[in-house]
Amino acid sequence: MEYDPNEALKLKNQLCFPLYAAARKTVGAYTPFLKPLGLTYTQYILFLVLWEEDNLTVSEICERLILDSGTVTPLLKKLEARGYLRRERCECDERCVKVALTDEGRALKNDAAEIPLKVGSCMALPPEKAQQLYEILHMIIDAD
């Protein structure tokens, strides 16, 4: 099949558009559950990383979230000001900053415990399709 630039430039033929729209819709599904906790979606995923493994460096957090430090650092500052975490320079390398949850940050995990179940029930995907989508999305994310 020959390449047709007019067809290629139609919105309906863009893989990026349904990915973008689905991402916005998914993040939007979290909003009513995160709002009572005073969290944005990005703050929530940062907590997911720290609830899984506390006391990480900023660069480790950035790597796990696939975000740069210019995005993560303001989140950390805001959450530190709210008393959810502490940032401390590493003794062996002052350029390195470790992030640790406070008791308040750890306690927030209990308040967020039902969010995955609640959001999952909003998605019109059977579990096997959700797993397939997860695997396909990671193929895209992990591609070099």
Side-chain angles (χ1 to χ4, degrees):
M1 187 170 184
E2 192 172 317
Y3 178 77
D4 179 354
N6 291 323
E7 273 305 301
L9 290 173
K10 290 182 178 176
L11 185 62
K12 72 176 185 172
N13 294 328
Q14 306 303 309
L15 176 61
C16 61
F17 181 71
L19 284 169
Y20 164 78
R24 285 181 38 101
K25 188 172 184 176
T26 301
V27 170
Y30 280 86
T31 302
F33 307 113
L34 294 174
K35 195 170 187 155
L37 302 179
L39 297 177
T40 65
Y41 178 76
T42 313
Q43 290 169 336
Y44 171 69
I45 62 173
L46 189 143
F47 272 113
L48 292 177
V49 167
L50 291 172
W51 290 330
E52 188 175 327
E53 185 178 350
D54 198 2
N55 208 28
L56 296 171
T57 65
V58 172
S59 59
E60 289 170 325
I61 293 168
C62 290
E63 184 179 318
R64 292 179 191 194
L65 292 176
I66 315 171
L67 294 172
D68 61 42
S69 63
T71 301
V72 171
T73 299
L75 294 173
L76 294 171
K77 285 181 179 180
K78 186 174 276 190
L79 295 172
E80 183 176 37
R82 290 174 59 192
Y84 289 127
L85 55 87
R86 289 182 319 279
R87 295 177 303 142
E88 295 177 0
R89 297 227 173 257
C90 299
E91 291 179 15
C92 59
D93 183 353
E94 285 195 16
R95 295 171 296 174
C96 178
V97 175
K98 286 264 192 178
V99 179
L101 291 169
T102 62
D103 290 341
E104 291 84 0
R106 279 188 287 283
L108 193 59
K109 183 178 182 179
N110 293 329
D111 297 332
E114 297 296 316
I115 291 175
L117 181 64
K118 290 175 181 177
V119 172
S121 69
C122 296
M123 302 292 165
L125 279 178
E128 65 277 358
K129 292 289 187 187
Q131 182 61 38
Q132 287 175 345
L133 178 59
Y134 179 87
E135 291 170 8
I136 291 167
L137 291 172
H138 271 282
M139 288 172 64
I140 294 168
I141 292 166
D142 297 337
D144 289 328

